[in-house]
Amino acid sequence: MSLAMLFVLMAGAVALIGFHRLLIGPTRTDRVVALDLLFSVAIVLSLIAAWVSGRTVYLDVAIGLALVGFVATLAWARLIQEEAS
């Protein structure tokens, strides 16, 4: 088994845990953290794809995912904060 395949399997396991927390999470905060975790898994998978294929276009995808994930986390945090007060 190659190192890249091991990384993909570990990322898949983390994604399953994230989906579980996204669906079951008792609070909205848990769901936001799970969504952020899923964005991180997508970034890792993009980096693995760039590494395996040798193409840099996947690095651009990873940067885009990181930016969208960051903005989405900020938006959800602001929404949760406004509902709490």
Side-chain angles (χ1 to χ4, degrees):
M1 179 182 304
S2 68
L3 188 60
M5 184 60 73
L6 181 65
F7 287 156
V8 169
L9 289 174
M10 286 192 297
V14 172
L16 286 175
I17 293 169
F19 277 124
H20 179 264
R21 180 53 59 194
L22 186 66
L23 296 174
I24 304 298
T27 65
R28 289 187 178 182
T29 307
D30 290 332
R31 290 185 173 100
V32 170
V33 170
L35 194 61
D36 200 30
L37 179 69
L38 291 175
F39 267 112
S40 298
V41 169
I43 291 167
V44 166
L45 289 175
S46 293
L47 294 176
I48 292 170
W51 176 39
V52 169
S53 69
R55 299 183 62 177
T56 59
V57 69
Y58 296 111
L59 298 177
D60 296 335
V61 171
I63 291 170
L65 283 170
L67 291 173
V68 169
F70 177 71
V71 171
T73 302
L74 287 179
W76 278 108
R78 177 167 279 191
L79 179 69
I80 291 171
Q81 183 182 13
E82 287 177 0
E83 288 180 359
S85 56

